[in-house]
Amino acid sequence: MNKNLIKLTAGGIVFLFLLIIALACTERIDAGHEGLKVKMYGSDKGVQDVALVTGRVWYNPLTEQVFEIPTYVQTVNYDAFTVNAKDGSVFTVDPTISLKVIDGKSPQIFKKYRKGINEVLQNTLVNHIKDVYRIEFNKYTTDQIISSREAFENGVQAKMIAFLKDEGFVLEQLTSGIQYPEAITKAINAKNAAIQEAQRVENELKVAEASAKKLIVLAESEARANELRKVSLNQLLIQQQFIEKWDGKTPIYGNAPAFFKSVN
């Protein structure tokens, strides 16, 4: 009886030990990720030491390690930095970039940087991103950046797409967040204020002009009406009005003349 109990206990311990080892030696790659099985030691390290894997992965925890690389779109808000235009003006760039790992390129990225994707995106790529902006800003003067903003942004985006593609990423969206120098901002605000003031004055002039035209029209109408009244008051109209108002009696001014002599 004791022997059977010992055997069951020993078997349970062995099973538990094997289960722990199994759990420690496997890793499941979640959806939206690529798995990398990396040889940390051995003769293959540095040559064929990174393998792309999917699903449940078995590995030797003593000599290998498994990494999960996200392949969905990630958005990174980088810290603002300053760059100089061709004429020396200082601009502030506060970029936000949405990008994802190109399918199947995660081994290439890991071999190059030996870091996790988040660390690569947050830290390693920063200087390269700054260089893209510096190169493009050095092509334009301040006036050209303001007047040809679309061409400037297109140039930055084209360079960013090419750079990220070489690094194993695809660019989904780029927002530069460019802030103009303070002097330029004040000049633009002053110009806009002047334009708005000129528009206000122009509108007031239009209102005043419309009011003046209205008064002129009214005056011309009144003058024409008076002229018509004046023309219509001719001699015949006066006589007609006299007849219409006459009560049938001869008007007498002073003493009335005598037509017959009285006979006594």
Side-chain angles (χ1 to χ4, degrees):
M1 190 72 175
N2 291 335
K3 290 182 179 180
N4 292 334
L5 181 59
I6 292 173
K7 287 180 180 180
L8 288 174
T9 303
I13 293 173
V14 171
F15 175 78
L16 182 60
F17 179 73
L18 292 174
L19 180 62
I20 293 173
I21 292 177
L23 293 175
C25 296
T26 62
E27 184 75 29
R28 181 172 180 77
I29 307 304
D30 295 329
H33 294 74
E34 287 182 344
L36 297 180
K37 186 164 71 172
V38 181
K39 293 183 181 296
M40 309 303 293
Y41 307 98
S43 59
D44 289 338
K45 184 178 183 300
V47 183
Q48 298 294 334
D49 60 336
V50 180
L52 188 63
V53 292
T54 58
R56 183 165 293 281
V57 182
W58 291 84
Y59 67 100
N60 182 355
L62 299 177
T63 60
E64 297 174 326
Q65 192 170 355
V66 175
F67 295 91
E68 279 191 318
I69 307 299
T71 56
Y72 51 81
V73 176
Q74 299 184 75
T75 299
V76 184
N77 296 312
Y78 291 98
D79 293 334
F81 56 90
T82 57
V83 288
N84 292 89
K86 189 176 181 180
D87 54 3
S89 296
V90 180
F91 287 78
T92 299
V93 181
D94 189 9
T96 299
I97 300 179
S98 295
L99 72 172
K100 68 181 292 293
V101 174
I102 299 174
D103 293 341
K105 291 290 185 179
S106 52
Q108 170 189 319
I109 298 172
F110 188 86
K111 284 181 180 180
K112 183 173 183 177
Y113 295 110
R114 292 288 171 173
K115 298 176 181 178
I117 291 298
N118 288 335
E119 188 176 356
V120 171
L121 294 178
Q122 295 287 350
N123 301 319
T124 308
L125 295 184
V126 172
N127 289 332
H128 299 290
I129 292 171
K130 289 180 179 180
D131 287 340
V132 168
Y133 279 100
R134 287 193 182 103
I135 292 171
E136 201 64 22
F137 265 99
N138 286 334
K139 293 181 180 179
Y140 294 83
T141 63
T142 302
D143 290 340
Q144 290 171 337
I145 291 172
I146 295 173
S147 61
S148 305
R149 179 67 179 272
E150 184 176 356
F152 169 80
E153 292 282 7
N154 289 339
V156 171
Q157 183 162 319
K159 283 184 172 56
M160 198 70 73
I161 289 173
F163 156 67
L164 289 174
K165 183 178 180 180
D166 289 341
E167 298 299 316
F169 298 92
V170 58
L171 179 66
E172 295 289 337
Q173 186 175 5
L174 169 65
T175 303
S176 296
I178 296 175
Q179 301 172 21
Y180 295 130
E182 185 177 357
I184 301 300
T185 302
K186 289 182 178 179
I188 292 175
N189 291 337
K191 180 180 178 181
N192 291 335
I195 293 174
Q196 292 175 2
E197 179 64 18
Q199 187 64 46
R200 185 187 66 80
V201 172
E202 183 179 354
N203 291 337
E204 289 180 352
L205 289 175
K206 288 181 178 179
V207 172
E209 183 180 358
S211 299
K213 287 182 178 179
K214 182 178 179 180
L215 292 175
I216 291 173
V217 170
L218 291 175
E220 289 178 349
S221 299
E222 184 66 22
R224 182 175 295 181
N226 291 335
E227 185 67 24
L228 291 174
R229 293 191 193 98
K230 181 179 180 181
V231 171
S232 63
L233 291 176
N234 51 35
Q235 188 64 31
L236 291 176
L237 181 58
I238 293 173
Q239 291 177 1
Q240 181 180 352
Q241 291 178 346
F242 176 78
I243 293 171
E244 289 175 351
K245 294 180 179 180
W246 185 46
D247 57 1
K249 299 178 180 179
T250 302
I252 299 175
Y253 303 93
N255 295 324
F259 294 99
F260 300 99
K261 185 176 180 180
S262 298
V263 179
N264 295 326

